[in-house]
Amino acid sequence: MPLIRLVRHGQASFGAEDYDALSDLGRAQAVAVGRELARRDLRDPHLVSGTLTRQRDTARLIAETARFRQPLRQDPRWNEYDHVALLARYAPSASHTHSVQDVLDRALLAWMAEPGAVDGTTWDSFAEGAAAAQAELSATLGRGRDAVVVTSGGLLAALCGTLLPLAPEGVVALNRVTVNASITTLAVGRSGTSLLTFNDHAHFAGHQRRLLTYR
């Protein structure tokens, strides 16, 4: 049975001029998840990422570490939503008494409840794009192939919410707890694609605990 390993990118550079660049810790996380994927001995995996810098660079570090042979294919449907535009639309004057995560959670729920678009994208179209990218990838996998996709937390939550399926509050809850460079596994079978594991980050246990981050 083909397996798709969905990897959240390593930690981005929060608060820096270029948020999209991996932080030093994010690069270390990418190497760690590459070692974990190498240990799992995947079957000639397809390697796919979104087009964002933090996604592409995570994928390349994984490929170098795990010694994947297949070239990286990029697909913008695996990109994250624009969190800056999201907060500007739904939380332009957020109180400093609330954490960034609380503000983001509320903005996501507001986006899901409204048919309007953020930076030209509705929540429904965002989630549908993720599902379409997953379905297309699943259809290309033969019985002897696996895939690794490097994406982002919001898209992971949207896709898992579609597969389960979940109410908006459940999707936001998944988004909130997704660990940087965690692994979510999908199984591709005759009856469709199923979620096997979500947010696996056992590779950050023990002496690697210092690499565990959520944002």
Side-chain angles (χ1 to χ4, degrees), residues 23-36:
S23 66
D24 289 342
L25 181 57
R27 287 188 284 273
Q29 291 168 337
V31 170
V33 75
R35 292 192 186 113
E36 174 62 19

Side-chain angles (χ1 to χ4, degrees), residues 26 32 35 48-49 64 88 109 119 130 143 152 156 173 177 192 196 204-205:
R35 292 192 186 113
V48 185
S49 79
E64 291 171 6
L109 286 171
D119 194 29
R143 295 184 64 182
S152 296
L156 279 167
V177 301
L196 284 185
F204 296 143

Side-chain angles (χ1 to χ4, degrees), residues 179-197:
V179 169
N180 290 123
S182 61
I183 303 170
T184 292
T185 301
L186 308 182
V188 182
R190 293 181 180 177
S191 59
T193 301
S194 302
L195 176 65
L196 284 185
T197 65

Side-chain angles (χ1 to χ4, degrees), residues 5-12 19 29 33 54-55 58 78 80-81 101 104-105 108 112 123 126 149-161 164 166 168-185 195 197-204 211-215:
R5 313 286 186 169
L6 302 171
V7 178
R8 187 186 179 195
H9 62 75
Q11 184 188 64
Y19 169 80
Q29 291 168 337
V33 75
R54 59 191 185 274
Q55 297 170 338
T58 298
W78 294 105
E80 183 64 295
Y81 54 78
Q101 187 60 58
L104 180 60
D105 289 352
L108 277 170
M112 292 177 188
W123 170 262
F126 173 72
V149 179
V150 180
T151 182
S152 296
L155 191 137
L156 279 167
L159 183 55
C160 291
L164 288 176
L166 295 176
E169 291 78 9
V171 174
V172 171
L174 292 183
N175 184 57
R176 187 181 185 97
V177 301
T178 307
V179 169
N180 290 123
S182 61
I183 303 170
T184 292
T185 301
L195 176 65
T197 65
F198 170 73
N199 201 32
D200 177 6
H201 53 279
H203 44 292
F204 296 143
L211 297 178
L212 179 63
T213 60
Y214 295 86
R215 297 291 175 264

